[in-house]
Amino acid sequence: MGASASSSLSLDMTPEVRDSLLSELLAKCEEVLSENPDNRCCKHAIQYLNSDEGKNMSNEDAMTFYKCIRTGVDNPDSGLGCYAMTPTDYSKFGGFFDKVIRDYHGDESGSKKHETDWDTDDADYDVKKLGQDELSMRVRVGRNLLGFNLPGKMSKEERIKFELRMLPAFEQLVEKYGGKVHSLTPDFGDS
């Protein structure tokens, strides 16, 4: 779907216009997938857009779904290429995201279960004993906190509020392990 077609997506479009734009999106995904068979976004978007769930999207949902998959369409060599804008997108577009996630984790059957085990026993994580003087850690905002959108939908102001909310946790890490925090928005945008 080109820039002109995507800009035609609107809340007040007629069902015929929406269907035409979604057909154009479907064709673009098929084109991308034919040249980039590892593009999970387009692979599963094609299935989704052909499903009853995909065909019956409201105008608002069609606009949000396009935002979720746009990076996979615009970057054909992407292996994943789709990002929920809000936590509810995972359930709203479950027929799409569930398949993408299972494909990514090699679990078409859905039988794998993720288990988190934070028990480190008595492991020693002193990096100086490993011959390193410094260790750099990046905290990626790939998930969200309650009350915040996911990164793809965050405005600059919301990112600043998110970072301010996270600073106390970062300060505890600095206290315990040393180092310093480098903000992506120095002075929190007040330049």
Side-chain angles (χ1 to χ4, degrees), residues 31-69:
E31 175 188 330
V32 167
L33 188 62
S34 71
E35 296 173 16
N36 300 275
D38 294 332
N39 184 309
R40 288 181 182 93
C41 173
C42 287
K43 173 183 174 182
H44 296 291
I46 292 167
Q47 295 171 11
Y48 184 74
L49 290 168
N50 283 318
S51 72
D52 287 342
E53 185 179 340
K55 289 177 183 176
N56 294 315
M57 284 189 284
S58 67
N59 290 354
E60 182 178 7
D61 287 349
M63 292 169 59
T64 302
F65 183 71
Y66 177 70
K67 290 176 185 176
C68 291
I69 70 167

Side-chain angles (χ1 to χ4, degrees), residues 1-57:
M1 178 180 297
S4 62
S6 64
S7 63
S8 300
L9 288 170
S10 69
L11 290 176
D12 59 352
M13 64 186 155
T14 66
E16 294 79 20
V17 169
R18 182 193 63 237
D19 292 346
S20 175
L21 292 171
L22 290 177
S23 291
E24 188 179 330
L25 178 59
L26 181 63
K28 180 63 178 175
C29 285
E30 288 169 342
E31 175 188 330
V32 167
L33 188 62
S34 71
E35 296 173 16
N36 300 275
D38 294 332
N39 184 309
R40 288 181 182 93
C41 173
C42 287
K43 173 183 174 182
H44 296 291
I46 292 167
Q47 295 171 11
Y48 184 74
L49 290 168
N50 283 318
S51 72
D52 287 342
E53 185 179 340
K55 289 177 183 176
N56 294 315
M57 284 189 284

